[in-house]
Amino acid sequence: MAVSAELARKETLDKDLEKIVSVEEAAGVLSRGLVAPGLALLFIALASAATSIYVVGQPGAVVIIAAAAIGGYMALNIGANDVANNVSAAVGARALTLASALVMAAIFETAGALIAGGDVVETISKGIIDPALVADANTFIRLMLGALISSALWINLATWIGAPVSTTHSVVGGVLGAGVAAAGMASVDWSVMGAIAASWVVSPLVGGAIAALFLFFIKSTIIYQDDKLTAARRWVPVLIAIMAGSFTAYLASKGLGRIIKLDSLTLSALAVGSTALFWVVSHRYVAWQSRGMENRNQSLRKLFRLPLVISAALLSFAHGANDVANAVGPLAAIVSAAQGGGVEAKVGIPLWVMLIGALGISIGLILFGPKLIRMVGEQITKLNPMRAFCVALSAALTVIVASGLGMPVSSTHIAVGAVFGVGFFREWYTANSPRRRAYLERKMARRRAEREASVGAIAEVLADEADLDNGVSPPVSRDEIIRRNLVRRAHVRTIVAAWVTTVPASALLAIGAFHLIGLVF
């Protein structure tokens, strides 16, 4: 009996110890999930503390410190959501690991914000509100705070549900709602709002169409050619040169536009010169890189990997230069109004304000960016270096073309639209392309001549096709290949719904925030 009692006590003790271990493991999992929010709160607290050093004893110090905290929160959300579009294609194509993409994007985002972020911003975003109707400094400060809070909350919600949205549209919606609450519907320039609404449709369609056209060119001239390497040596330098010219114009007009002002003729000359120079350089690069390669689809990936990585870095730099204003523009306007007692059409950006924006974007990217990077780069459709190259090239080229035509477009919508365009084009091309079918028939015929077993020949052809499309073990049927190529419709619906509701949702949040702030200040 004593032995039985002892065994019973041991079994009970073992069960209790297992429960304790389970509780410890659960606590560990929960605590890991709180690390990122904890670090984000620490950054916001440090931003407020650093701001208090600069403004203590000055007029409006309390409001400025509160605005700095909200501006830091906004910057974190921009980093978590918007920056993902710049590196997601490279990560999805496995040209960059997630860790290296985060580090690279953080460095170039910060550099773009600090080097080319500009020293002056407009106080009323995109001119949608008449400044004369909000000339009172206190009303203007409430308007800017309401816009900042609402846009940050909306971007945070969009990141949580996994939807990449335009941070510029979020700020526009916030200014719209707070402006209506402050000065009524008559204060809104509805023609400007109409142009912004049109960009919801124009940006993704143009980005998707350009990416699809380049992917069609790559498939027709390189991928479905019998001698792939010879075709690649002829056409890949052309594609790299086009990308170089596009990014030269993109950086000169967008990334460095606040430092140097170039007329259209000089900008065109720079783009053409860069295209010619990189056409010559890339010929040598492609010839060297392709030496000793096998005549297979997988070999082509290496030729696009380096240009893709460089494009991701340049997109991050240009984004930091342009979109840091979404975080620090309202904050700079609040600082100017609180200290000067008046409302200016344009205000300067103090260095400490720019640092909050630059560091906040980079920290937000590292802490919360992986979710959107994986979603855009891996979950919408399968990407490889060729497709990701088309996405990056479309992002730069579409912005340049749209800017030249005076069209307001969203870089977020363009990049995600390009991913959609690549995915939907693959579906159509795989099912309908005569060139692809003829290529596969020629290849199977050659394999049959070399091998006795036609089953093995077909499997090898499909293996080569799968190497290109998926980078995984080949499926054994054409239906399986097509199934893997499908764009995930659930992501399309979620993202489009978030795009359509961005401005209205931010506006409604801003109306509520404006009235709540009036109760506090």
Side-chain angles (χ1 to χ4, degrees), residues 17-185:
L17 290 175
E18 288 177 1
K19 290 178 181 179
I20 293 172
V21 170
S22 298
V23 170
E24 288 180 346
E25 290 178 353
V29 171
L30 290 174
S31 63
R32 284 196 295 271
L34 297 175
V35 170
L39 291 175
L41 288 173
L42 178 61
F43 168 75
I44 293 172
L46 290 175
S48 299
T51 300
S52 65
I53 297 174
Y54 285 94
V55 301
V56 63
Q58 298 181 14
V62 175
V63 173
I64 294 174
I65 293 171
I70 300 169
Y73 173 55
M74 176 65 169
L76 290 170
N77 284 295
I78 291 176
N81 191 291
D82 215 19
V83 180
N85 304 310
N86 303 322
V87 297
S88 57
V91 173
R94 296 178 176 82
L96 284 170
T97 64
L98 179 60
S100 60
L102 290 172
V103 172
M104 185 190 74
I107 292 172
F108 280 88
E109 283 281 339
T110 303
L114 295 179
I115 295 173
D119 54 2
V120 175
V121 293
E122 296 181 5
T123 57
I124 301 294
S125 179
K126 303 295 181 184
I128 62 173
I129 299 294
D130 184 359
L133 299 179
V134 285
D136 177 68
N138 291 331
T139 303
F140 179 78
I141 289 172
R142 287 172 59 194
L143 189 156
M144 287 290 108
L145 281 173
L148 202 55
I149 292 171
S150 63
S151 54
L153 287 173
W154 172 249
I155 297 169
N156 196 342
L157 175 61
T159 303
W160 181 69
I161 65 175
V165 296
S166 170
T167 55
T168 302
H169 287 179
S170 301
V171 173
V172 165
V175 172
L176 170 66
V180 168
M185 299 288 286

Side-chain angles (χ1 to χ4, degrees), residues 376-387:
V376 176
E378 300 174 357
Q379 297 177 17
I380 294 176
T381 191
K382 294 284 185 180
L383 291 177
N384 62 21
M386 285 79 81
R387 298 180 204 127

Side-chain angles (χ1 to χ4, degrees), residues 437-459:
R437 284 197 298 270
Y439 169 82
L440 292 177
E441 289 169 1
R442 292 196 307 272
K443 196 156 190 175
M444 284 190 287
R446 288 197 300 270
R447 295 298 191 224
R448 288 191 189 99
E450 295 171 0
R451 297 172 184 239
E452 296 179 358
S454 61
V455 175
I458 295 173

Side-chain angles (χ1 to χ4, degrees), residues 219 223-224 228 296-298 301 384 387 426 429-430 436-437 439-440 443 458-475 478 481-482 485:
K219 285 180 176 292
I223 292 173
Y224 292 119
K228 302 176 191 297
R296 296 187 59 194
N297 289 328
Q298 252 188 345
R301 297 181 180 188
N384 62 21
R387 298 180 204 127
R426 289 170 57 214
Y429 194 89
T430 300
R436 178 180 178 276
R437 284 197 298 270
Y439 169 82
L440 292 177
K443 196 156 190 175
I458 295 173
E460 188 165 345
V461 173
L462 291 177
D464 195 25
E465 183 75 3
D467 282 344
L468 172 67
D469 282 342
N470 301 311
V472 296
S473 300
R478 182 172 178 273
I481 292 176
I482 295 174
N485 283 348

Side-chain angles (χ1 to χ4, degrees), residues 175-192:
V175 172
L176 170 66
V180 168
M185 299 288 286
S187 64
V188 181
D189 188 335
W190 293 106
S191 63
V192 174

Side-chain angles (χ1 to χ4, degrees), residues 349-372:
I349 304 178
L351 178 60
W352 64 268
V353 172
M354 186 64 76
L355 281 172
I356 289 176
L359 294 177
I361 289 175
S362 298
I363 293 171
L365 168 66
I366 293 173
L367 294 179
F368 306 107
K371 180 178 181 178
L372 267 294

Side-chain angles (χ1 to χ4, degrees), residues 268-326:
S268 300
L270 277 174
V272 171
S274 176
T275 301
L277 174 63
F278 276 88
W279 180 75
V280 174
V281 173
S282 59
H283 260 290
R284 295 174 178 265
Y285 165 76
V286 172
W288 168 76
Q289 187 78 351
S290 62
R291 193 177 302 156
M293 283 184 174
E294 296 181 9
N295 188 39
R296 296 187 59 194
N297 289 328
Q298 252 188 345
S299 300
L300 300 176
R301 297 181 180 188
K302 298 178 182 178
L303 302 180
F304 287 90
R305 191 162 287 143
L306 179 60
L308 181 57
V309 172
I310 294 173
S311 70
L314 295 178
L315 283 171
S316 297
F317 181 90
H319 180 273
N322 283 283
D323 281 30
V324 69
N326 290 330

